[in-house]
Amino acid sequence: MLVAAREFLDGEGFTELVAPVIGPVTDPGARGAKQVDVDYYGHRYKLMTSAILYKQAALAAFDRIFYIAPNVRLEPLETASTNRHLAEFHQIDVEMAGASREAIMQLAERLVGHVVRQVVAQLPGELASLGRDTSMFAELLSQPFGQRSHADAVADLRGQGHDQSPDAEIDWAGEAMLSRKASRPFFVTDYPKGSRGFYDRESRERPGFLRNFDLIAPEGYGELSSGSEREHDYATIVARIRETGENPAKYGWYLQMVREGIPDSAGFGIGLERFTRYVAGLDSVWQASAYPKVPGVALP
Ligand code: AMP
Ligand code: MG
C-alpha cells in the first residue's frame, strides 16, 4: 500500500519529506488523547500527535509535499476495544499549496482508489488468504465517493435515535452506524468550528463552519482520513488558538512563520493502519501493525 501511495503521489508531483518526531508544540486537535512530553535539554518537548504544523512549514520549500509520518497519542483506555485506535500509528500526510478543499478531496479519492486498485490487482492471493471479498471494492473502483455535510449526517443519526451532538465530531458509535450503511467510501464535510483544530479554515460564506472533511470507509470500518483547507492569516490563527483555550505563546516558532507569510493550502492525513485494516478486511487496527501499541497495553 505504501509503494502504491508513493507511486501515486510521485506521479502527481509531490515531494516526500521525512516528518519530525519531536517538537516544542504538536497538533492540539487530538481530542481526548494525551500528548507525550520529552525532556529535550531541559525544555519540555512533545512527541508528534500529528505533523500538521510542519506540513504548513514545508510549503515554504515545496508546493506539494507528503510524509509517512509516525504519530503518538495516549488515547483513553476505553479506546482499547474500539478496534480503531492505537497509541502509535502512521499517517500518509499530504499538503498542497493553493489547493481548494474540493481539489484536495479529489486527490484523496484518487489516492485511495489507486492504492485499492493496486492491492486488488497485485495481491489477490493475500486478500483471499485473509478472506477479504474483493467484490466489496466494486463500487469504490467504479463510482465517485459519496458526499454529505456534517449537518446532514447529524440529522440522519438523530433520526435513527442516536444522540449525536450537532457541535461535535461524529462520535465513534455514530460514525460506525453511518459507515455500516455505506457501500463505498464517502466524505463528510463542513464540520462546525470548535469541533476541530485551529488550522482548519472557517468558511467566509458560512461563518461557524469549516472548509474541512472526513473520509469514511464503508462496511463499518469508519474514519480513514481527516483534511481541510488551512487557515493562514496570522490574526485569525491567533484568535482561533485563543478560542480553543490554548496559549498562543506556546506556538512561538509557528506564529513567527505565519506572520512572515505561509501559502494558502489544503491537505489531509490518511491513517495507514486504518486504511490497511479496511483494505485487508481485518477485525482490528492492531492487526495492521507489526509492533502494535494498543492503548493501555504494555507490550513491545
Ligand atoms: P485526526 O487528526 O485525529 O483526524 O487523525 C488523522 C487520521 O489518523 C485519522 O483519520 C485516522 O485515520 C488516523 N488516526 C487518528 N487517531 C488514530 C489512532 N489513535 N489510531 C490509529 N489511527 C488513528
Ligand atoms: Mg479525524
Side-chain angles (χ1 to χ4, degrees):
M1 289 174 68
L2 282 178
V3 169
R6 287 186 160 113
E7 177 182 83
F8 173 83
L9 290 166
D10 184 53
E12 296 288 324
F14 283 80
T15 298
E16 179 172 2
L17 297 182
V18 177
V21 172
I22 59 174
V25 278
T26 181
D27 180 0
R31 293 140 299 273
K34 251 178 45 194
Q35 302 180 351
V36 177
D37 289 342
V38 174
D39 179 356
Y40 185 75
Y41 302 100
H43 298 277
R44 203 164 73 168
Y45 270 37
K46 306 283 184 192
L47 294 182
M48 287 297 131
T49 52
S50 98
I52 172 64
L53 308 180
Y54 293 88
K55 288 205 297 179
Q56 287 183 285
L59 298 178
F62 300 99
D63 283 344
R64 297 174 171 217
I65 63 103
F66 75 99
Y67 304 126
I68 308 300
N71 297 156
V72 176
R73 300 181 186 179
L74 298 184
E75 299 281 3
L77 281 178
E78 59 268 26
T79 64
S81 56
T82 61
N83 293 324
R84 312 194 307 104
H85 289 87
L86 292 168
E88 179 185 79
F89 61 97
H90 297 78
Q91 291 191 54
I92 306 172
D93 219 348
V94 178
E95 198 73 19
M96 181 171 162
S100 65
R101 176 181 64 182
E102 285 62 35
I104 208 74
M105 280 167 55
Q106 223 231 32
L107 187 84
E109 177 166 341
R110 290 194 298 124
L111 169 58
V112 167
H114 178 81
V115 171
V116 172
R117 194 169 293 110
Q118 291 301 311
V119 171
V120 169
Q122 293 183 29
L123 303 172
E126 283 80 353
L127 290 173
S129 75
L130 290 164
R132 185 58 163 147
D133 174 3
T134 56
S135 73
M136 300 310 269
F137 302 121
E139 279 191 37
L140 178 153
L141 294 172
S142 63
Q143 291 178 37
F145 291 2
Q147 189 176 328
R148 65 196 308 186
S149 68
H150 176 269
D152 176 61
V154 169
D156 186 352
L157 287 170
R158 294 180 79 92
Q160 295 179 66
H162 181 75
D163 188 22
Q164 170 64 46
S165 159
D167 303 318
E169 282 213 306
I170 312 283
D171 60 41
W172 304 324
E175 190 188 288
M177 288 167 71
L178 298 176
S179 171
R180 269 194 297 272
K181 280 207 310 194
S183 49
R184 66 185 198 278
F186 64 96
F187 293 101
V188 178
T189 63
D190 300 287
Y191 283 74
K193 187 164 93 160
S195 70
R196 299 281 271 256
F198 63 79
Y199 41 79
D200 281 12
R201 183 192 287 165
E202 186 174 4
S203 168
R204 279 186 198 83
E205 291 72 41
R206 290 183 70 212
F209 293 90
L210 301 170
R211 296 274 302 153
N212 65 359
F213 66 89
D214 270 5
L215 177 60
I216 313 289
E219 303 175 66
Y221 290 104
E223 177 187 338
L224 289 180
S225 171
S226 289
S228 191
E229 274 174 26
R230 310 302 182 190
E231 187 51 68
H232 65 284
D233 175 66
Y234 175 75
T236 310
I237 289 180
V238 172
R240 291 279 305 278
I241 291 178
R242 288 219 171 88
E243 278 170 24
T244 61
E246 290 256 339
N247 180 1
K250 270 173 50 184
Y251 294 87
W253 73 265
Y254 176 75
L255 290 174
Q256 163 97 25
M257 170 185 83
V258 173
R259 201 186 295 123
E260 287 164 9
I262 55 169
D264 201 9
S265 70
F268 59 85
I270 300 181
L272 180 61
E273 291 82 1
R274 287 202 190 167
F275 190 18
T276 306
R277 177 190 173 211
Y278 164 55
V279 173
L282 306 174
D283 292 333
S284 180
V285 74
W286 67 261
Q287 296 168 301
S289 171
Y291 318 104
K293 301 291 190 306
V294 177
V297 179
L299 281 174

